[in-house]
Amino acid sequence: MAPDDIDRTFVAFERVQKSYDGVTLVVKDLNLAIARGEFLTMLGPSGSGKTTCLMMLAGFETATHGEIRLGGRPITTVPPHRRGIGMVFQNYALFPHLTVGENLAFPLEVRGIGRAEREAKIARALDMVQMKGFAGRRPGQLSGGQQQRIALARALVFDPALVLMDEPLGALDKQLREHMQFEIKHLHERLGITVVYVTHDQGEALTMSDRIAVFNDGVIQQLAAPEVLYEQPMNSFVASFIGENNTLDGTVETIAGERCTVRLDGGTVIDARPVNVSRQGVRTRVSIRPERVEVRPERLPRGVHLVEAEVLEFIYMGDIFRVRLNVAGNDDFVMKYRNAPDAVRLVPGARIQIGWRPEDCRALDAA
Amino acid sequence: MAEPGAAALTTADGMPLRAALARASRRARLRAALLVAPLLLFVLVSFVWPIGQMLLRSVNNVQFAANMPELTAWFAANPRGTPVDEAAFAALAADLRLAAASRTVGTVGTRINYELPGSRSLFTATGRAAGGLEPPYREALLALNPDWGREELWTVMRGASARYTANFYLAALDLRRDAGGGIVRVAPEQRVYVSLFLRTFALSAVITVVCLALGFPVAHLLATLPVRRANMLMILVLLPFWTSLLVRTSSWIVLLQGQGVVNNVLVALGIVDEGGRLSMMYNQTGTIVAMTHILLPFMILPLYSVMKTIPPAYARAARSLGATSWTTFRRIYLPLTVPGIGAGAMLVFILAVGYYITPALVGGASGQLISNQIAFHMQNTLNWSLAAALAALLLAAVLLLYWLYDRLVGIDNMKLG
């Protein structure tokens, strides 16, 4: 997706602010352009403002300041029922007194669609979520996963161009959740709809999204494709929120282009890539993924600094090994490597040399 | 399970499994029974027994048969339609003599008086003279009072001679038996109860509808306000419960009577003139206003408890699916509150149907309900059997209503809180 392609922008938040109490802002100056057909996820911890943004888009909350546009048209004064946005709620919100078929018929009836067309659309929507033959059941008679599918079908049955999903998989168990992630993803690809998805589950966000907006404290911390977000976090919040991450604090010692060296607080010097540090002498927090730590330093390019580490714990996890180390005073430093035939098995108490490629270690803002 | 192999199952030490289970649960069952025993006893003594007594009394008819044995025997021996012969008058004379001696002639007279007003004095006067009666008794009695020859009197006495009778129920429905034993309506000017029943149900229905109309928005507000303010509002809703019924009713009198606060304000504002003061008290308006006020919490509380359980997401989902707020209310919110509406309406209606104090105080003549008539027969005419028959009819009507509700909405759909 090309986020800066103005013509393809479908949903736009412009300088949107939201306050509930007139004292604090839950959403601070939000600018976001969502392209037609995009799957965008708003990811963040609870209270970060992501659900508020979704509710403003759906029309259940009004923006305190700024403008939201849908298809180029400002929608601030448009009531929710005229926005034509499909929505899947956290606990599905299927109407318990109506059957599945009646639930699906509801959005069509209020639009004055005739019976024959209604039934065709309902059949198609049920088929789409593989729930054919369930039209006569009541929501209470369905399992969580089935209710989830019906909620999805109901949000799609009236062919909205935009579908909002508010943590729709939160109530499902892990296996079902992963299965549904793929189904939603496939539906999105097949129907070409625009999806705005809210979750606090980063795995879900990484699996499904075209782009992810990481929210914290009412501000988008980073807006990028999943792989960019994972591999090139722009600040320490994103680095720590997405995936597992090791952090070490220190001071920038030398800086030259794409390389810098950092003297950790324990005195050790390491190599890193400067991301948002610009000059020598500033405090920084470096971040490195556990799977990018090299247990066999001889595989690294010549000249990189190696670090001494003490093995605290060695966990056999089947396909990988997970090792907890003490590195420069941080005894929560985690390293993961594949269970290959020639992989070394470490014993607690051993002292080893580890290292990493300078570009895998990112020098971020000091948190 | 009754599988063939199950019978042979035993515990580890060889005891049959079934017996072991029974023994293990016996203590628990016994303790549970002991815990509910006081309540069970209380319900039996204070509820089941009195209602049984009431139903019995509504058909019970011993005053006449117990004190007029010979005439009762004659009625039993001669079917309806037999001409009243000398033997019947002889039995009557003998019984009157006996009753006068044992001072029960008044009781008998009272019993006949229920159905034939004016008969009590006939009995007591004849009773005083009964000692001097000589055969032929027919002529003697008719000479004493020609009323003894009235066919109507003999029909009533025959009806009263049975140990059990449906006559009180007939009376409660403005019906009576004619000379041939057929059921006919009483004279138009004596028809009281049917119209009173109808008025009771109509007024109760009006009160229920008003309570629903007033209570629904309040319950919704209670269910959606933030907890602190909802609690405050809840106290206001419950406030009437903490005030004496008499105080509340009297304050309505103060407010609504002819020279009351509301009328004075209206006159002062020039909306009505001195001669046009509204009569809002001692009529149906007074009954409706005061009873609505008293019964309102019984509508609000079940509604509130149901509304509290309806997640706001339903309304949001309906709106996002394209429904206007009115459609959302009509198609989604209202159907979900039906259990509360049903429970509240049943509570208010049943309480209103049996209400006594408020209509007695503020109802005047036109605002009286059937329970006031029941009280009247309990306290003034002392015709407890008629009072019991009226009460039993009321009970039957309420049960019928309950059955109808179950058929239409389903009792398990009702949520009382």
Side-chain angles (χ1 to χ4, degrees), chain A residues 60 81 85 94 97 109 111, chain B residues 316 319-321 323 331:
Chain A
F60 301 129
H81 67 277
I85 299 175
L94 294 175
H97 60 300
E109 276 169 23
R111 284 177 171 74
Chain B
R316 287 183 163 186
R319 298 292 311 256
S320 82
L321 291 169
R331 297 269 322 266

Side-chain angles (χ1 to χ4, degrees), chain A residues 230-299:
Chain A
Y230 187 80
E231 285 170 26
Q232 301 163 32
M234 292 306 290
N235 59 36
S236 45
F237 175 79
V238 176
S240 62
F241 194 72
I242 308 282
E244 204 175 1
N245 210 54
N246 295 306
T247 55
L248 299 167
D249 292 324
T251 313
V252 177
E253 201 162 64
T254 65
I255 183 162
E258 294 286 276
R259 291 285 285 269
C260 67
T261 57
V262 174
R263 181 172 292 278
L264 299 181
D265 293 348
T268 320
V269 174
I270 58 162
D271 297 298
R273 172 189 182 138
V275 177
N276 40 19
V277 292
S278 50
R279 56 184 177 81
Q280 192 186 347
V282 297
R283 294 286 298 162
T284 183
R285 169 168 284 185
V286 301
S287 131
I288 176 155
R289 299 282 178 200
E291 68 274 16
R292 296 296 166 97
V293 178
E294 184 54 75
V295 68
R296 291 163 70 174
E298 66 271 18
R299 292 182 183 170

Side-chain angles (χ1 to χ4, degrees), chain A residues 111-161:
Chain A
R111 284 177 171 74
I113 291 175
R115 169 175 285 271
E117 193 185 346
R118 221 157 59 201
E119 278 171 8
K121 277 175 183 281
I122 292 170
R124 207 183 57 198
L126 283 177
D127 194 27
M128 198 160 66
V129 294
Q130 288 131 45
M131 291 288 286
K132 242 185 203 169
F134 282 82
R137 302 267 192 102
R138 295 216 178 235
Q141 298 168 308
L142 303 180
S143 70
Q146 290 172 329
Q147 290 188 34
Q148 219 289 320
R149 284 161 195 265
I150 298 303
L152 203 59
R154 190 179 64 176
L156 294 170
V157 70
F158 59 102
D159 303 317

